[in-house]
Amino acid sequence: MSDWSQGSGEPGVGESAAWSGREGAQAFAAVEAATDWLLGYPFVFRELSRRLAGGEVLVDYGCGPGTVADRAARRLGARVLGVDTSPEMLALARGSDTAVAEYHLVRNGRAAGLADGCADAVMCNHVLASLPTEEAVLAVFTEIRRLLRPGAPFVLLATDPDCTGMDYASLRIGRPGEAYGPGERLTVRLRRTDGSWQEVRNHAWPVALIPALLERTGFRDVAQHRPSVEEALPLADPELARSHTWSAERTRPPLVVTTALAA
């Protein structure tokens, strides 16, 4: 996941610069993301594995430093292409030992060098949180649809902004008792790998709005799933599963996986 932040050149994107520049990219790479690795990414990979054959092309839209893209390439056997609006994020990704085939910069809303219908699948993790307007969300979905061949799957991972004030293993979303409307700013607290915490400003996108926005941009057969800890434990890394009690995650799972097909 990457914060599509100020200076990216994206239309309608640019209020938060939490991960912008070299220092921001390095800070992002230091985020622990334990909750995501329990309740998010294993389910994204599971959905992709059901539709994606080895050697087919998977685009990670908003790949950041390439950590999730690398894991997907190794687990799924896909030819993974990472794309992001941040040159600094892509520099980190290219400088690390990943199994990702290529990295591409998104300029003016378009993934440079990638043709229409080039992807057999696309995943997009936590990009919505950095988009301030409905126009910006629609622009990202439209570009993802351009990349997908007809009938190909799209898997989207997003945090539910209604899960406010819960102390999850690696994050806290907003303030307790507050409600956030579409695009409204909220503060998310993220745990770093060194045990410290960082606060970043995100944008709220209620997960119930996502299906209609996808249908408007050329997707069909939209479905949503909120993974539970009980479902996750057989899929997750055993060491990670033992590392936390996951009490808040059991009480109110904060992540939603949305799947759709390119019409």
mmCIF file with all atom_site columns, all heavy atoms in Angstrom, residues 59-73:
data_model
loop_
_atom_site.group_PDB
_atom_site.id
_atom_site.type_symbol
_atom_site.label_atom_id
_atom_site.label_alt_id
_atom_site.label_comp_id
_atom_site.label_asym_id
_atom_site.label_entity_id
_atom_site.label_seq_id
_atom_site.pdbx_PDB_ins_code
_atom_site.Cartn_x
_atom_site.Cartn_y
_atom_site.Cartn_z
_atom_site.occupancy
_atom_site.B_iso_or_equiv
_atom_site.pdbx_formal_charge
_atom_site.auth_seq_id
_atom_site.auth_comp_id
_atom_site.auth_asym_id
_atom_site.auth_atom_id
_atom_site.pdbx_PDB_model_num
ATOM 1   N N   . VAL A 1 59 ? -1.023 -7.208  -11.512 1.00 0.00 ? 59 VAL A N   1
ATOM 2   C CA  . VAL A 1 59 ? -0.584 -5.839  -11.222 1.00 0.00 ? 59 VAL A CA  1
ATOM 3   C C   . VAL A 1 59 ? -0.917 -5.514  -9.774  1.00 0.00 ? 59 VAL A C   1
ATOM 4   O O   . VAL A 1 59 ? -2.044 -5.723  -9.324  1.00 0.00 ? 59 VAL A O   1
ATOM 5   C CB  . VAL A 1 59 ? -1.259 -4.824  -12.169 1.00 0.00 ? 59 VAL A CB  1
ATOM 6   C CG1 . VAL A 1 59 ? -0.988 -3.388  -11.700 1.00 0.00 ? 59 VAL A CG1 1
ATOM 7   C CG2 . VAL A 1 59 ? -0.750 -5.017  -13.594 1.00 0.00 ? 59 VAL A CG2 1
ATOM 8   N N   . ASP A 1 60 ? 0.087  -5.015  -9.045  1.00 0.00 ? 60 ASP A N   1
ATOM 9   C CA  . ASP A 1 60 ? -0.138 -4.490  -7.695  1.00 0.00 ? 60 ASP A CA  1
ATOM 10  C C   . ASP A 1 60 ? -0.215 -2.980  -7.824  1.00 0.00 ? 60 ASP A C   1
ATOM 11  O O   . ASP A 1 60 ? 0.805  -2.300  -7.978  1.00 0.00 ? 60 ASP A O   1
ATOM 12  C CB  . ASP A 1 60 ? 0.993  -4.898  -6.752  1.00 0.00 ? 60 ASP A CB  1
ATOM 13  C CG  . ASP A 1 60 ? 0.754  -4.408  -5.325  1.00 0.00 ? 60 ASP A CG  1
ATOM 14  O OD1 . ASP A 1 60 ? -0.311 -3.803  -5.063  1.00 0.00 ? 60 ASP A OD1 1
ATOM 15  O OD2 . ASP A 1 60 ? 1.636  -4.617  -4.472  1.00 0.00 ? 60 ASP A OD2 1
ATOM 16  N N   . TYR A 1 61 ? -1.440 -2.460  -7.773  1.00 0.00 ? 61 TYR A N   1
ATOM 17  C CA  . TYR A 1 61 ? -1.685 -1.033  -8.012  1.00 0.00 ? 61 TYR A CA  1
ATOM 18  C C   . TYR A 1 61 ? -1.563 -0.275  -6.696  1.00 0.00 ? 61 TYR A C   1
ATOM 19  O O   . TYR A 1 61 ? -2.404 -0.408  -5.813  1.00 0.00 ? 61 TYR A O   1
ATOM 20  C CB  . TYR A 1 61 ? -3.081 -0.853  -8.607  1.00 0.00 ? 61 TYR A CB  1
ATOM 21  C CG  . TYR A 1 61 ? -3.300 0.486   -9.261  1.00 0.00 ? 61 TYR A CG  1
ATOM 22  C CD1 . TYR A 1 61 ? -2.983 0.687   -10.604 1.00 0.00 ? 61 TYR A CD1 1
ATOM 23  C CD2 . TYR A 1 61 ? -3.818 1.560   -8.544  1.00 0.00 ? 61 TYR A CD2 1
ATOM 24  C CE1 . TYR A 1 61 ? -3.177 1.912   -11.208 1.00 0.00 ? 61 TYR A CE1 1
ATOM 25  C CE2 . TYR A 1 61 ? -4.020 2.781   -9.154  1.00 0.00 ? 61 TYR A CE2 1
ATOM 26  C CZ  . TYR A 1 61 ? -3.695 2.955   -10.476 1.00 0.00 ? 61 TYR A CZ  1
ATOM 27  O OH  . TYR A 1 61 ? -3.890 4.173   -11.079 1.00 0.00 ? 61 TYR A OH  1
ATOM 28  N N   . GLY A 1 62 ? -0.482 0.520   -6.567  1.00 0.00 ? 62 GLY A N   1
ATOM 29  C CA  . GLY A 1 62 ? -0.149 1.171   -5.307  1.00 0.00 ? 62 GLY A CA  1
ATOM 30  C C   . GLY A 1 62 ? 0.772  0.282   -4.501  1.00 0.00 ? 62 GLY A C   1
ATOM 31  O O   . GLY A 1 62 ? 0.554  0.030   -3.325  1.00 0.00 ? 62 GLY A O   1
ATOM 32  N N   . CYS A 1 63 ? 1.844  -0.194  -5.141  1.00 0.00 ? 63 CYS A N   1
ATOM 33  C CA  . CYS A 1 63 ? 2.691  -1.243  -4.564  1.00 0.00 ? 63 CYS A CA  1
ATOM 34  C C   . CYS A 1 63 ? 3.608  -0.749  -3.460  1.00 0.00 ? 63 CYS A C   1
ATOM 35  O O   . CYS A 1 63 ? 4.158  -1.567  -2.714  1.00 0.00 ? 63 CYS A O   1
ATOM 36  C CB  . CYS A 1 63 ? 3.519  -1.899  -5.663  1.00 0.00 ? 63 CYS A CB  1
ATOM 37  S SG  . CYS A 1 63 ? 4.744  -0.792  -6.426  1.00 0.00 ? 63 CYS A SG  1
ATOM 38  N N   . GLY A 1 64 ? 3.817  0.568   -3.326  1.00 0.00 ? 64 GLY A N   1
ATOM 39  C CA  . GLY A 1 64 ? 4.728  1.068   -2.313  1.00 0.00 ? 64 GLY A CA  1
ATOM 40  C C   . GLY A 1 64 ? 6.116  0.474   -2.475  1.00 0.00 ? 64 GLY A C   1
ATOM 41  O O   . GLY A 1 64 ? 6.622  0.348   -3.599  1.00 0.00 ? 64 GLY A O   1
ATOM 42  N N   . PRO A 1 65 ? 6.764  0.059   -1.377  1.00 0.00 ? 65 PRO A N   1
ATOM 43  C CA  . PRO A 1 65 ? 8.125  -0.485  -1.468  1.00 0.00 ? 65 PRO A CA  1
ATOM 44  C C   . PRO A 1 65 ? 8.200  -1.922  -1.953  1.00 0.00 ? 65 PRO A C   1
ATOM 45  O O   . PRO A 1 65 ? 9.274  -2.514  -1.960  1.00 0.00 ? 65 PRO A O   1
ATOM 46  C CB  . PRO A 1 65 ? 8.642  -0.360  -0.035  1.00 0.00 ? 65 PRO A CB  1
ATOM 47  C CG  . PRO A 1 65 ? 7.423  -0.448  0.808   1.00 0.00 ? 65 PRO A CG  1
ATOM 48  C CD  . PRO A 1 65 ? 6.330  0.228   0.026   1.00 0.00 ? 65 PRO A CD  1
ATOM 49  N N   . GLY A 1 66 ? 7.081  -2.508  -2.355  1.00 0.00 ? 66 GLY A N   1
ATOM 50  C CA  . GLY A 1 66 ? 7.087  -3.804  -3.016  1.00 0.00 ? 66 GLY A CA  1
ATOM 51  C C   . GLY A 1 66 ? 6.996  -5.022  -2.125  1.00 0.00 ? 66 GLY A C   1
ATOM 52  O O   . GLY A 1 66 ? 7.069  -6.154  -2.612  1.00 0.00 ? 66 GLY A O   1
ATOM 53  N N   . THR A 1 67 ? 6.762  -4.827  -0.830  1.00 0.00 ? 67 THR A N   1
ATOM 54  C CA  . THR A 1 67 ? 6.741  -5.963  0.101   1.00 0.00 ? 67 THR A CA  1
ATOM 55  C C   . THR A 1 67 ? 5.617  -6.944  -0.204  1.00 0.00 ? 67 THR A C   1
ATOM 56  O O   . THR A 1 67 ? 5.824  -8.161  -0.270  1.00 0.00 ? 67 THR A O   1
ATOM 57  C CB  . THR A 1 67 ? 6.605  -5.461  1.546   1.00 0.00 ? 67 THR A CB  1
ATOM 58  O OG1 . THR A 1 67 ? 7.632  -4.504  1.808   1.00 0.00 ? 67 THR A OG1 1
ATOM 59  C CG2 . THR A 1 67 ? 6.687  -6.600  2.535   1.00 0.00 ? 67 THR A CG2 1
ATOM 60  N N   . VAL A 1 68 ? 4.400  -6.420  -0.394  1.00 0.00 ? 68 VAL A N   1
ATOM 61  C CA  . VAL A 1 68 ? 3.249  -7.290  -0.653  1.00 0.00 ? 68 VAL A CA  1
ATOM 62  C C   . VAL A 1 68 ? 3.346  -7.882  -2.057  1.00 0.00 ? 68 VAL A C   1
ATOM 63  O O   . VAL A 1 68 ? 3.024  -9.058  -2.271  1.00 0.00 ? 68 VAL A O   1
ATOM 64  C CB  . VAL A 1 68 ? 1.936  -6.510  -0.464  1.00 0.00 ? 68 VAL A CB  1
ATOM 65  C CG1 . VAL A 1 68 ? 0.731  -7.403  -0.740  1.00 0.00 ? 68 VAL A CG1 1
ATOM 66  C CG2 . VAL A 1 68 ? 1.855  -5.938  0.949   1.00 0.00 ? 68 VAL A CG2 1
ATOM 67  N N   . ALA A 1 69 ? 3.798  -7.085  -3.012  1.00 0.00 ? 69 ALA A N   1
ATOM 68  C CA  . ALA A 1 69 ? 3.969  -7.581  -4.379  1.00 0.00 ? 69 ALA A CA  1
ATOM 69  C C   . ALA A 1 69 ? 4.958  -8.740  -4.413  1.00 0.00 ? 69 ALA A C   1
ATOM 70  O O   . ALA A 1 69 ? 4.752  -9.736  -5.119  1.00 0.00 ? 69 ALA A O   1
ATOM 71  C CB  . ALA A 1 69 ? 4.440  -6.450  -5.287  1.00 0.00 ? 69 ALA A CB  1
ATOM 72  N N   . ASP A 1 70 ? 6.036  -8.616  -3.645  1.00 0.00 ? 70 ASP A N   1
ATOM 73  C CA  . ASP A 1 70 ? 7.037  -9.683  -3.585  1.00 0.00 ? 70 ASP A CA  1
ATOM 74  C C   . ASP A 1 70 ? 6.430  -10.966 -3.026  1.00 0.00 ? 70 ASP A C   1
ATOM 75  O O   . ASP A 1 70 ? 6.634  -12.054 -3.567  1.00 0.00 ? 70 ASP A O   1
ATOM 76  C CB  . ASP A 1 70 ? 8.208  -9.229  -2.721  1.00 0.00 ? 70 ASP A CB  1
ATOM 77  C CG  . ASP A 1 70 ? 9.228  -10.331 -2.499  1.00 0.00 ? 70 ASP A CG  1
ATOM 78  O OD1 . ASP A 1 70 ? 9.874  -10.749 -3.483  1.00 0.00 ? 70 ASP A OD1 1
ATOM 79  O OD2 . ASP A 1 70 ? 9.364  -10.800 -1.355  1.00 0.00 ? 70 ASP A OD2 1
ATOM 80  N N   . ARG A 1 71 ? 5.680  -10.833 -1.928  1.00 0.00 ? 71 ARG A N   1
ATOM 81  C CA  . ARG A 1 71 ? 5.056  -12.011 -1.328  1.00 0.00 ? 71 ARG A CA  1
ATOM 82  C C   . ARG A 1 71 ? 4.071  -12.654 -2.311  1.00 0.00 ? 71 ARG A C   1
ATOM 83  O O   . ARG A 1 71 ? 3.992  -13.890 -2.401  1.00 0.00 ? 71 ARG A O   1
ATOM 84  C CB  . ARG A 1 71 ? 4.337  -11.620 -0.042  1.00 0.00 ? 71 ARG A CB  1
ATOM 85  C CG  . ARG A 1 71 ? 3.858  -12.797 0.800   1.00 0.00 ? 71 ARG A CG  1
ATOM 86  C CD  . ARG A 1 71 ? 5.010  -13.481 1.538   1.00 0.00 ? 71 ARG A CD  1
ATOM 87  N NE  . ARG A 1 71 ? 5.614  -12.584 2.508   1.00 0.00 ? 71 ARG A NE  1
ATOM 88  C CZ  . ARG A 1 71 ? 5.231  -12.455 3.767   1.00 0.00 ? 71 ARG A CZ  1
ATOM 89  N NH1 . ARG A 1 71 ? 4.205  -13.179 4.221   1.00 0.00 ? 71 ARG A NH1 1
ATOM 90  N NH2 . ARG A 1 71 ? 5.874  -11.649 4.587   1.00 0.00 ? 71 ARG A NH2 1
ATOM 91  N N   . ALA A 1 72 ? 3.338  -11.836 -3.036  1.00 0.00 ? 72 ALA A N   1
ATOM 92  C CA  . ALA A 1 72 ? 2.386  -12.374 -4.008  1.00 0.00 ? 72 ALA A CA  1
ATOM 93  C C   . ALA A 1 72 ? 3.098  -13.123 -5.121  1.00 0.00 ? 72 ALA A C   1
ATOM 94  O O   . ALA A 1 72 ? 2.657  -14.198 -5.549  1.00 0.00 ? 72 ALA A O   1
ATOM 95  C CB  . ALA A 1 72 ? 1.541  -11.240 -4.584  1.00 0.00 ? 72 ALA A CB  1
ATOM 96  N N   . ALA A 1 73 ? 4.201  -12.561 -5.602  1.00 0.00 ? 73 ALA A N   1
ATOM 97  C CA  . ALA A 1 73 ? 4.942  -13.218 -6.675  1.00 0.00 ? 73 ALA A CA  1
ATOM 98  C C   . ALA A 1 73 ? 5.446  -14.584 -6.242  1.00 0.00 ? 73 ALA A C   1
ATOM 99  O O   . ALA A 1 73 ? 5.364  -15.567 -6.990  1.00 0.00 ? 73 ALA A O   1
ATOM 100 C CB  . ALA A 1 73 ? 6.109  -12.331 -7.109  1.00 0.00 ? 73 ALA A CB  1
#
